[in-house]
Amino acid sequence: MNTEFQIEFNKIQDMWAELAATDSAKERIREVKVILDEKELRKELRDTTDARDMVEKLGTPPLQNVNELSEVITVVEKGDCLTPYQLERVENVLVVIERLRSYLSRGKQYNNPLAYYDENLDSMDYLRDEIVRQIRNEMVDDRATKELFEIRTSMIEAENKMKQKAEQIIRSHKDCMADSFYSLRSGRVCVPVKKEYKFKVPGSVIDKSASGSTLFVEPEGVSRYFEEMELLKIDEENEVYKILYTLTAMVADSTEALKENMRMMEKLDYIFSKGKLSIDLDCTEPHINLDRRIKLKEARHPLMDKAVNVPLDFSLGESDEDTGEAEKIRGVVITGPNTGGKTVAIKTAMLACYMAQCGLHVTAKEADVCMNSNYLCDIGDGQNLSENLSTFSAHIKNVLDILKKVNRESFVIMDELGSGTDPTEGMGIAVAILEELKKSGANFLVTTHYPEVKDYAEKTSGIVNARMTFDKETLRPTYKMVIGEAGESCAFYIADRLGMSRDMLSTAIEAAYGKDAAGSYEFSEKSEDEERSRNKKEASPKINKIQKKRTNTNVMTLYNIGDSVMVYPDKKIGIVCEPVDKKGVLRVQVAGKKIYINHKRVKLHVRAEELYPEDYDFSIIFDSVENRKLSHDMGRKLTEGTIIHEKK
């Protein structure tokens, strides 16, 4: 059971996390749970109110992610030296800390309690000033120390002397040079000497061109300055490390203060994110009670557009004034049409309580909510093919889990109670569940369509009916809840408006409520033409079946043995020796050969009765002389022999 997802609190968390700057605050938001300690909850709500008030008066607080500072502290605690880049990250965070202190101190003029958190922030001006003075553009500044300035000045002078010496040699040995300017090779200043003048320019060959015709020579006078430069670089490196280690030691001495700054910034980030969420969703601070009372005025679901959302007025946990009974209402049975807002209503009520108990403001004009020990929810069909769960099975499994956990401090919502099975049995189960919830003493909201459940709620103390109103004329739900009245599904009115015929509606009402019930429904007047139009069937596509081929019995009598026929396409005359079979094939003797041919390829030429006398023996035409003689002998006496017929 994941209540946060079913009531969509996870989407509120996503919106909320976007308003936080630090990773720690984002992580805390994603893991937030309802607060069960009254003192802690009231403090969280006060913080949210104070944060909203300060943001509205002073603007967004200067907060930033301090993840890099955490990495810097880890490096320092390992004993490693910080780089100029890492030191600048420390300086950036300290600048933000100073700005945050200034922001909070300005809140003191409004007597905002959050303003006094500035006393817990240490901007460490001495450390920030030292980093700013000695580190610039992710490098150690030239004037970080007097020694470093002198070293780097000497390095510049040595470099200039090398260049001047190289230019002097180029001018004095112009004929030996392949070019008129010096170049750097492996960090050395070299002059380009033609290969044939190699020995005219004293010095060391450092490199040569790809063709080998030019040699890059470091003149003897330049090498002396290069050696001086190398020594200066060693001095520079030592001095830079001395500065970096000094600053690292200062950061190491301040790690506890830096950690405290980080913790405080992350804490303030979390608090201000609640205030910013309250502003973005146009929320109000809820009142908290321990009397199991929930009262919402003009509440709305925070994920719905405020411009189109219909506010919800809702109350639970108060005495039933209609009956005069002292027992407080603990359960509400909500009925009404589909798409009428029942599910949104119960989600809105639970989400308001859930947000309030997480220390957040709620989207309502006024809210008075009780603390709950747990939130139990059954919304959606829960169907799961991998676990072989039907809609009803999933509901029952979830409901049984709820009934195991429910207690008098629980808040329970159930959607479409008892649905997904036989209506009679589902109604019985719904009543049994309501009875168990009533015994537990918990606050609960359920939606249903069963009229028997409405009757049960009406007769049972501590439970009350409520309905979502519906405009029968426009077929539009109004999304307003009326507590104390049972609603109807309006299925017959919706079906009427959408075009169901009067006969079907009468049958449906009679099946549901008996023969006399139809007269109590006032449907819209329809003309005879409109009623006929409702009953008219529309043309629908048809299935194309494979047609079975049938042989025309008349074809089988077209040709008889002995008929003279013309065979196409050769237009030869033949005689029928076997009539047409079921497949439409007959046998014709043409030019002394017997062939099988489809009846469509032959045409009657002369009937047999016109060519031959009655009882004519056609074996004379079709059988061989040997077969005819043997057949004749077999008719007179016992004869050895075989009559051979041609294969078909």
Side-chain angles (χ1 to χ4, degrees), residues 46 57 89 107 144 149 170 182-183 187 211 241 273 289-290 301 430 442 496 542 550 586 602 648:
R46 282 197 305 272
K57 291 175 179 175
R89 302 287 75 75
F149 179 73
I170 289 173
Y182 64 86
S183 61
S211 63
Y241 271 113
S273 68
N289 68 77
L290 299 178
H301 197 289
D496 173 54
K542 295 182 178 180
R550 296 181 180 178
L586 68 156
V602 300
K648 295 183 178 181

Coordinates of all heavy atoms in Angstrom, one line a residue, residues 46 57 89 107 144 149 170 182-183 187 211 241 273 289-290 301 430 442 496 542 550 586 602 648:
R46 N 4.9 26.5 12.2 CA 5.3 27.9 12.5 C 6.4 28.3 11.6 O 6.5 29.4 11.0 CB 5.7 28.1 13.9 CG 4.5 28.1 14.9 CD 5.0 28.7 16.3 NE 6.1 28.0 16.8 CZ 6.0 26.9 17.6 NH1 4.7 26.5 17.9 NH2 7.0 26.3 18.1
K57 N 8.0 39.4 2.2 CA 8.5 40.8 2.5 C 9.9 41.1 2.0 O 10.2 42.3 1.7 CB 8.4 41.0 4.0 CG 6.9 41.0 4.5 CD 6.9 41.1 6.1 CE 5.4 41.1 6.5 NZ 5.3 41.1 8.0
R89 N 36.0 27.9 -3.9 CA 34.7 27.4 -3.6 C 34.3 27.7 -2.1 O 33.2 28.1 -1.8 CB 34.6 25.9 -3.8 CG 34.9 25.4 -5.2 CD 33.8 25.7 -6.2 NE 33.7 27.1 -6.6 CZ 34.5 27.7 -7.5 NH1 35.5 27.1 -8.0 NH2 34.3 29.0 -7.9
G107 N 15.2 40.7 8.5 CA 13.9 40.2 9.0 C 13.5 40.5 10.4 O 12.4 40.4 10.8
A144 N 50.3 37.6 -3.4 CA 49.9 36.9 -2.2 C 50.9 37.0 -1.1 O 50.5 37.2 0.1 CB 49.7 35.4 -2.6
F149 N 55.9 37.7 -5.1 CA 55.9 38.8 -6.0 C 57.3 39.0 -6.6 O 57.5 39.3 -7.8 CB 55.4 40.1 -5.3 CG 55.5 41.3 -6.2 CD1 54.5 41.5 -7.2 CD2 56.4 42.3 -6.0 CE1 54.6 42.6 -8.0 CE2 56.5 43.4 -6.8 CZ 55.5 43.6 -7.8
I170 N 69.6 37.0 -33.7 CA 69.0 36.9 -35.1 C 69.4 38.1 -35.9 O 69.7 37.9 -37.1 CB 67.4 36.9 -34.9 CG1 67.0 35.5 -34.3 CG2 66.7 37.1 -36.2 CD1 65.5 35.5 -34.0
Y182 N 62.3 34.4 -33.2 CA 62.6 33.3 -32.4 C 61.3 32.4 -32.1 O 60.2 32.8 -32.4 CB 63.2 33.7 -31.1 CG 62.3 34.5 -30.2 CD1 61.5 33.9 -29.3 CD2 62.4 35.9 -30.2 CE1 60.6 34.6 -28.5 CE2 61.5 36.6 -29.4 CZ 60.6 36.0 -28.5 OH 59.8 36.7 -27.8
S183 N 61.5 31.2 -31.6 CA 60.4 30.4 -31.2 C 60.7 29.6 -29.9 O 61.9 29.5 -29.5 CB 60.0 29.4 -32.4 OG 61.1 28.6 -32.6
G187 N 60.0 24.6 -24.1 CA 60.1 25.6 -23.1 C 61.3 26.4 -23.2 O 61.6 27.3 -22.3
S211 N 61.5 19.0 -42.4 CA 62.4 18.7 -43.6 C 63.8 18.5 -43.2 O 64.6 18.0 -44.0 CB 62.2 19.8 -44.6 OG 62.7 21.1 -44.1
Y241 N 53.1 26.5 -2.9 CA 52.7 25.4 -2.0 C 52.6 25.9 -0.5 O 51.8 25.5 0.3 CB 53.6 24.2 -2.1 CG 53.1 23.2 -3.2 CD1 53.9 23.0 -4.3 CD2 52.0 22.5 -3.0 CE1 53.5 22.2 -5.3 CE2 51.5 21.7 -4.0 CZ 52.3 21.5 -5.2 OH 51.9 20.6 -6.1
S273 N 11.9 26.4 1.6 CA 11.3 25.7 0.5 C 9.8 25.5 0.8 O 8.9 25.5 -0.1 CB 12.0 24.4 0.2 OG 11.8 23.5 1.2
N289 N -5.5 19.9 15.7 CA -6.3 19.5 16.9 C -6.0 18.0 17.1 O -5.6 17.3 16.2 CB -7.8 19.8 16.7 CG -8.4 18.9 15.7 OD1 -8.7 17.7 15.9 ND2 -8.7 19.5 14.5
L290 N -6.3 17.6 18.3 CA -6.2 16.2 18.7 C -7.6 15.6 19.0 O -7.7 14.6 19.7 CB -5.3 16.0 19.9 CG -3.8 16.5 19.7 CD1 -3.1 16.3 21.0 CD2 -3.2 15.7 18.6
H301 N -7.8 20.6 -4.6 CA -6.7 19.7 -4.9 C -5.5 20.5 -5.4 O -5.7 21.2 -6.4 CB -7.0 18.6 -5.9 CG -6.1 17.4 -5.9 ND1 -4.8 17.5 -6.4 CD2 -6.2 16.1 -5.4 CE1 -4.2 16.4 -6.3 NE2 -5.0 15.5 -5.7
A430 N -19.4 -4.5 1.4 CA -19.3 -3.1 1.6 C -19.8 -2.7 3.0 O -19.2 -2.0 3.8 CB -20.0 -2.2 0.6
A442 N -11.9 4.9 13.7 CA -11.2 5.7 12.8 C -12.0 6.7 12.0 O -13.3 6.5 11.9 CB -10.4 4.9 11.8
D496 N -30.3 8.7 -20.8 CA -31.4 9.4 -21.6 C -30.8 10.5 -22.5 O -31.1 10.7 -23.6 CB -32.5 9.9 -20.6 CG -33.5 10.8 -21.4 OD1 -34.1 10.3 -22.3 OD2 -33.7 11.9 -20.9
K542 N -19.2 -5.4 -42.4 CA -19.5 -6.9 -42.4 C -18.2 -7.6 -42.6 O -17.3 -7.2 -43.2 CB -20.6 -7.2 -43.4 CG -21.9 -6.6 -43.2 CD -22.9 -7.1 -44.2 CE -24.3 -6.5 -44.0 NZ -25.3 -6.9 -45.0
R550 N -19.3 -24.2 -55.4 CA -20.3 -25.2 -55.6 C -20.4 -25.5 -57.1 O -20.4 -24.6 -57.9 CB -21.7 -24.7 -55.0 CG -21.7 -24.5 -53.5 CD -23.0 -24.0 -53.1 NE -23.0 -23.8 -51.7 CZ -24.1 -23.4 -51.0 NH1 -25.3 -23.1 -51.7 NH2 -24.1 -23.2 -49.7
L586 N -15.0 -33.1 -67.8 CA -15.5 -34.2 -68.6 C -14.4 -34.8 -69.5 O -13.3 -34.1 -69.6 CB -16.7 -33.8 -69.5 CG -16.4 -32.8 -70.7 CD1 -17.5 -33.0 -71.7 CD2 -16.3 -31.4 -70.2
V602 N -15.5 -26.4 -73.7 CA -16.1 -27.2 -74.8 C -17.5 -26.6 -75.1 O -18.1 -25.9 -74.2 CB -16.3 -28.7 -74.5 CG1 -14.9 -29.3 -74.2 CG2 -17.2 -28.9 -73.2
K648 N -7.2 -42.7 -66.1 CA -7.8 -41.4 -66.1 C -6.8 -40.4 -65.6 O -6.0 -40.6 -64.8 CB -9.0 -41.4 -65.1 CG -10.1 -42.3 -65.6 CD -11.3 -42.2 -64.7 CE -12.5 -43.1 -65.2 NZ -13.7 -43.0 -64.4

